[in-house]
Amino acid sequence: MLLDIHATDSPRGFRLVGELDASNASTLSEVIQSEVDRGGDLTLDLAGLAFMDSTGIQVLVRTAQSLEGRGNLILVSPGSLVRRILELIPVQKLDNVEIVGDEDEA
Amino acid sequence: MLLDIHATDSPRGFRLVGELDASNASTLSEVIQSEVDRGGDLTLDLAGLAFMDSTGIQVLVRTAQSLEGRGNLILVSPGSLVRRILELIPVQKLDNVEIVGDEDEA
Amino acid sequence: MRTRPELTGNARSFPAHPSMLHEVRRFVRDRCYEAGMHPSATDDLVLAVSEACANAVLHSKSGVVQVAWRAGAEHVEVEVADQGVFRRTVPLQEVEGVHGHGIQLMMALMDEVTVREGTIGRPGTVVRLVKLRAS
Amino acid sequence: MRTRPELTGNARSFPAHPSMLHEVRRFVRDRCYEAGMHPSATDDLVLAVSEACANAVLHSKSGVVQVAWRAGAEHVEVEVADQGVFRRTVPLQEVEGVHGHGIQLMMALMDEVTVREGTIGRPGTVVRLVKLRAS
Ligand SMILES: Nc1ncnc2c1ncn2[C@@H]1O[C@H](COP(=O)(O)OP(=O)(O)O)[C@@H](O)[C@H]1O
Ligand SMILES: Nc1ncnc2c1ncn2[C@@H]1O[C@H](COP(=O)(O)OP(=O)(O)O)[C@@H](O)[C@H]1O
């Protein structure tokens, strides 16, 4: 599998390992949606994500929008390639999106 | 003046004559906003508009968004150049935007 | 569709102020008319050039924008050059509100669009717009 | 930055299916490595090519996508060619929901981007991506 999606309990969310692109973004979107429906903050651990394209950005934006007013989307430890795309398309500017554990701070 | 903005009473709105571009879109936006605040449908007579660029499209989209749930934006008789840009950026797909008096029907 | 020496050319500089857009449109429309370009292809090119110039005026912080017009047997091309640095942040509609979709509109209107992005080390963004005479 | 005969080249066809994206990224990454391109410039080019291929796969209705790689002394360029017609409607975010901003992202990543839009009479959209080795 190009992308492994592991559910995590504390914090509640998912750990992503592999590459996120147009071939698997809709699968990720569906998996995330079930958790979004329960409300509250959602954490995505991105440390193991070696690649993300603009369809991945779409998933993040839509997730943040569905959580709006009910919770935050927390992005943990994006690697250098993921940080590069977040630099160019700054999803973290949305009110309820936050990046923690940036490599530079580690 | 590149663009003349005439207020109209029935239907309530404005008649635009001239060219709408980045040099005057913000002026139009402000003039329209005062009427939008009163609520209800707003009509823009575009028959005299000889040119519109994407900043004009922005004004239309923002106007429609501000009217949402309170009224429709009605675009009357766009000429060929304005119809061309509306074909490529179809603002009329927004729920509360309508084009009437298309040249083809006249 | 690359620029070839046999193209007839014509270039003009305009101040980077929104009031130049009307002048640029007239310049391009007149050249297209002289070149016998089809009216609807002319309308598309005029709008695309106006969008490219609006971007240069709004985003490039240049003082001057150069518009170069060239006609070939099968196509017409216009280059819009500023002296600025291309802003590389992709505007997120959800954060920054409605945007003009200027570049997407240029692509929808033209047969070929090139953007050479100005950088700090090599300033000057150049947008090249190509319209086939027959399209 | 125009294509010159002295460029070393390498082209490959991929099926127009989302699973090709991973393969294309590896192809481009390997070529960049062989050409001694800077790692961060390589990352940018790999992402831009992946975006161009995603557009071809998602929008062009082609069966096959061709990826051509060329290296020059100062730059590397990749051309992504499909056999389809460029969809000329600009997506309105307010109507169609969030979009990927693929083309804007390519422009943010590259030094020069060209899109030649496939038409019904002349199908085949070609996206040309140029990255300076030094940037
Ligand atoms: N000539 C330019 N100089 C600097 N930045 C530019 C230029 N043209 C475009 N850009 C950048 O590209 C972005 C997208 O441009 P565009 O699609 O026309 O949308 P808009 O102008 O409405 O934002 C702009 O927001 C800007 O950051
Ligand atoms: N290869 C292609 N073939 C046909 N249409 C394309 C192609 N690439 C882009 N397009 C058109 O351009 C639009 C903008 O593309 P892009 O900026 O990548 O955003 P997105 O793909 O998320 O819509 C697409 O929605 C599509 O209509």
Side-chain angles (χ1 to χ4, degrees):
Chain A
M1 275 293 287
L2 195 59
L3 179 72
D4 285 322
I5 309 170
H6 304 277
T8 55
D9 267 344
S10 63
R12 198 167 61 82
F14 301 91
R15 188 159 52 83
L16 306 182
V17 179
E19 301 177 26
L20 171 53
D21 67 15
S23 74
N24 50 34
S26 59
T27 305
L28 175 63
S29 207
E30 281 163 33
V31 173
I32 287 182
Q33 196 54 47
S34 57
E35 278 304 316
V36 166
D37 292 341
R38 295 175 50 196
D41 291 355
L42 194 90
T43 298
L44 295 180
D45 184 337
L46 305 179
L49 198 60
F51 179 83
M52 179 169 83
D53 72 359
S54 69
T55 62
I57 293 284
Q58 286 181 50
V59 174
L60 300 184
V61 172
R62 277 205 226 100
T63 303
Q65 286 177 330
S66 330
L67 283 171
E68 215 176 333
R70 301 184 300 138
N72 294 330
L73 174 64
I74 299 153
L75 307 175
V76 180
S77 301
S80 62
L81 263 72
V82 175
R83 274 186 291 131
R84 175 66 169 145
I85 191 170
L86 288 171
E87 181 188 316
L88 299 175
I89 315 184
V91 175
Q92 62 276 18
K93 283 198 181 167
L94 293 171
D95 281 340
N96 63 337
V97 178
E98 200 181 331
I99 300 182
V100 299
D102 218 329
E103 214 171 71
D104 311 61
E105 302 166 62
Chain B
M1 276 294 285
L2 195 59
L3 180 70
D4 285 322
I5 308 170
H6 304 278
T8 55
D9 267 342
S10 60
R12 198 167 61 83
F14 300 92
R15 188 158 51 83
L16 307 181
V17 180
E19 300 176 28
L20 171 54
D21 67 16
S23 74
N24 50 35
S26 59
T27 306
L28 176 62
S29 208
E30 281 165 32
V31 173
I32 287 182
Q33 196 53 47
S34 57
E35 278 305 315
V36 165
D37 292 342
R38 296 174 50 196
D41 291 355
L42 194 89
T43 298
L44 295 180
D45 184 337
L46 305 179
L49 198 60
F51 179 83
M52 179 167 83
D53 72 359
S54 69
T55 61
I57 293 285
Q58 286 182 50
V59 175
L60 300 184
V61 172
R62 276 205 227 100
T63 303
Q65 285 176 331
S66 330
L67 284 171
E68 215 175 334
R70 301 185 300 137
N72 294 331
L73 174 62
I74 299 153
L75 307 175
V76 180
S77 302
S80 62
L81 262 73
V82 175
R83 274 186 292 132
R84 175 66 170 146
I85 190 170
L86 289 171
E87 180 187 315
L88 299 176
I89 315 184
V91 176
Q92 60 277 17
K93 282 198 182 168
L94 293 170
D95 280 342
N96 63 336
V97 178
E98 198 181 334
I99 301 182
V100 300
D102 219 331
E103 215 171 69
D104 311 60
E105 305 166 61
Chain C
M1 296 197 299
R2 298 260 152 78
T3 310
R4 290 188 206 87
E6 73 266 23
L7 297 182
T8 21
N10 203 325
R12 194 183 291 182
S13 287
F14 297 85
H17 184 272
S19 63
M20 64 86 94
L21 298 173
H22 173 75
E23 304 302 323
V24 169
R25 292 196 293 271
R26 184 153 55 186
F27 171 70
V28 175
R29 192 171 286 288
D30 288 352
R31 296 295 83 68
C32 288
Y33 182 78
E34 291 164 7
M37 198 170 183
H38 192 278
S40 73
T42 298
D43 288 345
D44 284 357
L45 187 61
V46 165
L47 175 52
V49 173
S50 191
E51 292 290 335
C53 289
N55 275 352
V57 167
L58 299 174
H59 303 301
S60 79
K61 298 178 181 159
S62 309
V64 168
V65 179
Q66 228 218 4
V67 180
W69 193 92
R70 292 186 208 95
E74 307 218 319
H75 76 281
V76 164
E77 61 181 65
V78 176
E79 255 181 28
V80 174
D82 62 46
Q83 294 131 17
V85 172
F86 192 83
R87 283 190 49 221
R88 284 170 192 267
T89 309
V90 176
L92 255 190
Q93 203 121 337
E94 294 70 21
V95 181
E96 313 197 21
V98 187
H99 270 268
H101 313 283
I103 292 173
Q104 287 187 315
L105 181 58
M106 291 177 223
M107 295 200 175
L109 290 161
M110 294 293 101
D111 289 294
E112 184 175 306
V113 176
T114 298
V115 179
R116 197 173 79 210
E117 293 91 349
T119 60
I120 295 173
R122 190 192 60 159
T125 296
V126 180
V127 176
R128 179 162 171 272
L129 303 162
V130 177
K131 186 77 178 172
L132 296 178
R133 285 170 177 270
S135 71
Chain D
M1 295 198 296
R2 297 262 153 78
T3 311
R4 291 188 206 88
E6 73 266 24
L7 296 182
T8 19
N10 203 326
R12 195 182 291 181
S13 287
F14 297 85
H17 184 272
S19 63
M20 64 85 94
L21 298 173
H22 173 75
E23 303 303 323
V24 169
R25 292 196 293 271
R26 186 155 51 187
F27 171 70
V28 174
R29 192 171 285 290
D30 289 351
R31 296 295 83 67
C32 288
Y33 183 78
E34 290 163 9
M37 198 169 183
H38 192 278
S40 74
T42 298
D43 289 346
D44 284 359
L45 186 60
V46 166
L47 176 52
V49 173
S50 191
E51 291 290 336
C53 289
N55 275 351
V57 167
L58 299 173
H59 302 302
S60 80
K61 298 179 182 158
S62 308
V64 168
V65 179
Q66 229 220 2
V67 180
W69 192 90
R70 291 186 208 96
E74 308 219 318
H75 76 281
V76 165
E77 60 180 63
V78 176
E79 255 182 28
V80 174
D82 63 45
Q83 294 131 18
V85 172
F86 191 84
R87 284 190 49 220
R88 285 171 191 266
T89 308
V90 176
L92 255 191
Q93 203 120 337
E94 293 71 20
V95 181
E96 314 196 21
V98 186
H99 270 268
H101 312 283
I103 292 173
Q104 287 187 317
L105 181 58
M106 291 177 223
M107 295 199 176
L109 290 161
M110 294 292 101
D111 289 294
E112 184 176 307
V113 176
T114 299
V115 180
R116 197 173 79 209
E117 295 90 349
T119 61
I120 296 173
R122 190 194 60 160
T125 295
V126 180
V127 176
R128 180 164 169 270
L129 303 162
V130 177
K131 186 76 178 173
L132 296 178
R133 284 170 176 271
S135 73

